């Protein structure tokens, strides 16, 4: 059943209701396929993500994790099948209630604070307090006026996450956001993601790092060669994986 939003203008359907955790309306992938160079890189994938918290998409390099995230967020079009949010195909209104952080931060050639303000402006939000809060959470307040392109890799990625969180997305996609960062930035990013999840943002986090998945995940989607070979509670997945490829992954073995 679709529920009209009470917060925003009419004709928008809730993806996630912050006030009642059980009313998460599922994200459905139906026979989702992405084909390139004569290969199904995402291969007839059926998936229903219907619980709040952090869903980690885990898998070997090349499994199709980044492609899946791009399909879910509508950055690329499926060759076949569909993505449905709360029963509706993805549209711009739904996309505006989501945010994404890429492995390599994509920042404006402006100051730190202008990057945040620009993101707020695109959503029609004017809120200085929120800007200051996300900068503080990211540990960037002291360098708010510095050009974003002069920041270190860790600072840039913390800014990319702060900018995503500033718009208070209902769904936050992250594609290996802390790859190659030092432990303090990894920690800051993970803490901010968990905090957003506790406040009600649905998090879909792609990583190939087992320890990170163990720290963050409520649920795991294990992706292998474009198929979701497992989807379930994180504890169960780590203690008792069902598929051969997930077992190999957890044991640090190549799967051939
Ligand atoms: N546009 C494309 N055309 C052809 N092959 C692609 C394209 N995008 C990704 N691939 C291939 O699809 C597979 C999955 O890619 P990707 O989703 O980036 O994997 P990962 O799980 O490491 O994020 C890889 O083998 C990659 O080389
Ligand atoms: Mg990737």
């Amino acid at each position: 059943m679709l529920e009209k939003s009470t917060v925003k203008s009419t004709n928008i359907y809730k993806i996630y209701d912050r006030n009642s955790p059980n009313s998460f309306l599922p994200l459905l992938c139906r026979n989702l396929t992405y084909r390139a160079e004569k290969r199904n890189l995402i291969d007839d994938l059926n998936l229903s993500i219907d619980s709040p918290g952090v869903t980690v998409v885990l898998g070997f390099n090349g499994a199709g994790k980044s492609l899946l995230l791009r399909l879910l967020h509508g950055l690329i079009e499926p060759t076949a099948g569909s993505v449905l949010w709360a029963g509706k195909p993805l549209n711009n209104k739904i996309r505006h209630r989501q945010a994404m952080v890429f492995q390599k931060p994509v920042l404006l050639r402006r100051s730190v604070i202008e990057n945040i303000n620009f993101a707020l402006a695109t959503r029609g939000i004017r809120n200085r307090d929120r800007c200051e809060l996300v900068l503080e959470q990211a540990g960037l307040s002291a360098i708010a006026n510095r050009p974003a392109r002069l920041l270190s890799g860790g600072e840039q990625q913390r800014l990319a996450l702060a900018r995503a969180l500033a718009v208070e997305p209902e769904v936050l996609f992250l594609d290996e956001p802390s790859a190659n960062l030092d432990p303090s930035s990894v920690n800051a990013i993970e803490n901010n993601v968990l905090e957003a999840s506790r406040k009600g943002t649905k998090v879909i986090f792609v990583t190939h790092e087992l320890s990170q998945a163990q720290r963050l995940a409520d649920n795991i989607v294990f992706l292998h060669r474009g198929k979701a070979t497992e989807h379930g509670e994180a504890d169960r997945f780590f203690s008792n994986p069902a598929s051969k490829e997930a077992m190999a992954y957890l044991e640090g073995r190549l799967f051939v």
Side-chain angles (χ1 to χ4, degrees), residues 15-25 50-53 198 200:
I15 301 166
Y16 187 75
D17 182 348
R18 288 165 197 282
N19 301 317
S20 58
N22 294 326
S23 71
F24 181 76
L25 294 167
D50 53 9
S51 57
R198 274 193 289 272

Side-chain angles (χ1 to χ4, degrees), residues 175-216:
D175 191 359
E176 302 197 18
S178 61
N180 304 320
L181 303 187
D182 73 43
S184 66
S185 285
V186 174
N187 225 346
I189 284 172
E190 290 184 0
N191 286 338
N192 286 340
V193 166
L194 286 174
E195 178 66 15
S197 166
R198 274 193 289 272
K199 285 187 186 155
T201 294
K202 173 67 200 169
V203 175
I204 302 184
F205 194 111
V206 161
T207 183
H208 65 264
E209 259 187 64
L210 182 55
S211 56
Q212 183 162 55
Q214 285 169 323
R215 290 192 293 275
L216 297 179

Side-chain angles (χ1 to χ4, degrees), residues 65-67 103 175-176 206:
K65 304 182 296 297
S66 296
L67 286 174
Q103 187 172 342
D175 191 359
E176 302 197 18
V206 161

Side-chain angles (χ1 to χ4, degrees), residues 34 36-37 39 41 60-67:
Y34 185 81
E37 291 170 11
R39 274 202 303 149
L41 303 171
F60 292 104
N61 287 328
K65 304 182 296 297
S66 296
L67 286 174

